[in-house]
């Protein structure tokens, strides 16, 4: 499975897709990037005259790269977007620096465990100056969609 194919398999689209590229991936870690565009919907009204990216969006970006993309890769071809869903089950994040419109971030996730379709990862986000923006733990799972 190639890097671009993984992104295409994600169950997200704009304006809620926060993955531009997967830089590297193997069975132990993933590294991906996203650039927050100037006109993202969540900047309207989030700190008048000084928009910053909400922490929940940073968490979502880390989960999409570090849990969803990584999980699809680890399933080794067993992922079927029509039949499977992805859900974040928990997160514990610490934030250190704001992320502004037009900033590119890099997310690195390291697998803690992956079994029974459950994935837990340590995640870290860095800005374009390689300064730590946020770090924490994300966990998630895949599930069979209800056919009804």
């Amino acid at each position: 499975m190639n890097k671009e194919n993984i992104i295409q398999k994600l169950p997200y689209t704009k304006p809620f897709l926060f993955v531009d590229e997967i830089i590297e991936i193997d069975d132990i870690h993933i590294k991906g990037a996203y650039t927050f565009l100037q006109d993202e919907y969540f900047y309207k009204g989030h700190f008048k005259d000084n928009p910053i990216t909400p922490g929940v969006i940073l968490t979502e970006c880390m989960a999409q790269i570090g849990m969803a993309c990584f999980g699809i890769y680890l399933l080794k071809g067993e992922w079927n977007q029509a039949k499977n869903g992805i859900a974040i089950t928990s997160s514990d994040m610490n934030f250190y620096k704001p992320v502004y419109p037009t900033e590119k971030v890099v997310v690195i996730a390291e697998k803690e465990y992956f079994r029974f379709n459950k994935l837990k990862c340590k995640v870290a986000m860095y800005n374009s100056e390689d300064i730590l923006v946020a770090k924490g733990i994300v966990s998630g799972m895949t599930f069979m969609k209800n056919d009804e």
Side-chain angles (χ1 to χ4, degrees), residues 74-88:
L74 292 171
L75 284 168
K76 304 289 187 201
E78 294 178 31
W79 173 259
N80 181 328
Q81 188 172 350
K83 295 181 180 180
N84 299 114
I86 298 173
I88 188 169

Side-chain angles (χ1 to χ4, degrees), residues 107-126:
V107 174
I108 300 170
E110 296 178 1
K111 178 176 66 175
E112 292 265 299
Y113 68 80
F114 179 64
R115 58 184 170 269
F116 305 115
N117 292 337
K118 294 181 181 180
L119 176 62
K120 181 178 181 181
C121 294
K122 293 180 187 176
V123 292
M125 177 182 280
Y126 298 87

Side-chain angles (χ1 to χ4, degrees), residues 22-93:
I22 296 171
I23 299 164
E24 56 190 54
I25 191 167
D26 60 29
D27 288 349
I28 300 168
H29 84 291
I30 186 170
K31 182 177 184 179
Y34 182 73
T35 300
F36 288 95
L37 304 176
Q38 182 75 38
D39 62 349
E40 302 273 13
Y41 71 93
F42 45 80
Y43 289 132
K44 294 177 184 176
H46 193 252
F47 295 109
K48 185 178 176 181
D49 301 323
N50 188 29
I52 64 168
T53 310
V56 67
I57 299 295
L58 297 178
T59 301
E60 180 66 24
C61 178
M62 289 186 280
Q64 286 187 16
I65 294 170
M67 195 265 306
C69 289
F70 199 17
I72 290 169
Y73 173 82
L74 292 171
L75 284 168
K76 304 289 187 201
E78 294 178 31
W79 173 259
N80 181 328
Q81 188 172 350
K83 295 181 180 180
N84 299 114
I86 298 173
I88 188 169
T89 56
S90 66
S91 66
D92 182 17
M93 291 295 155

Side-chain angles (χ1 to χ4, degrees), residues 1-14 16-20 22 25 30 63-65 67-87 141-143 145:
M1 179 176 304
N2 67 38
K3 297 171 189 174
E4 293 77 25
N5 194 6
I6 293 169
I7 295 171
Q8 291 172 353
K9 290 180 179 282
L10 288 171
Y12 317 108
T13 61
K14 287 290 186 186
F16 210 75
L17 175 64
F18 303 113
V19 183
D20 288 333
I22 296 171
I25 191 167
I30 186 170
Q64 286 187 16
I65 294 170
M67 195 265 306
C69 289
F70 199 17
I72 290 169
Y73 173 82
L74 292 171
L75 284 168
K76 304 289 187 201
E78 294 178 31
W79 173 259
N80 181 328
Q81 188 172 350
K83 295 181 180 180
N84 299 114
I86 298 173
M141 61 185 284
T142 64
F143 58 90
K145 291 181 180 177

